[in-house]
Amino acid sequence: MRPTGAKYSPAPWVGNNYTDYLCVYANGEEGPVEVCYQDQIEDEEEVLANMRLIKCAPELLELLVEMMHEGCIETTYADRVRKMVQKVLQGEERK
């Protein structure tokens, strides 16, 4: 479930592994969400791991929101999760 008022591009995000760079596209449309150039990060496995994480970001956020609404998150974590979701949806910088 995509949060109401969400400004980010909806899932799915897809990734392409080109010879000299990786690119993640929102919803398969042109215009990359994030580009990681392999020559900037020496460890290719790190670049691929970053791409996988970026591709899953919208779905991870949507799962957290759904879990909050269903009451599936322990009280000890609920405030932290709520604050993180707010930062994503309202554009606050992470401290």
Side-chain angles (χ1 to χ4, degrees), residues 1-67:
M1 162 176 74
R2 189 163 180 237
T4 305
K7 304 283 189 229
Y8 64 86
S9 300
W13 290 5
V14 297
N16 293 316
N17 184 1
Y18 299 109
T19 308
D20 54 346
Y21 66 95
L22 298 172
C23 194
V24 176
Y25 296 94
N27 208 15
E29 298 175 10
E30 289 190 25
V33 173
E34 182 67 43
V35 176
C36 297
Y37 291 97
Q38 290 180 351
D39 61 352
Q40 291 177 339
I41 300 175
E42 292 180 18
D43 185 353
E44 185 175 340
E45 285 302 311
E46 182 180 343
V47 174
L48 293 171
N50 290 342
M51 183 177 75
R52 288 190 298 269
L53 179 61
I54 292 164
K55 284 171 37 180
C56 292
E59 293 166 281
L60 288 169
L61 176 65
E62 291 163 14
L63 177 61
L64 281 174
V65 170
E66 188 175 330
M67 290 174 72

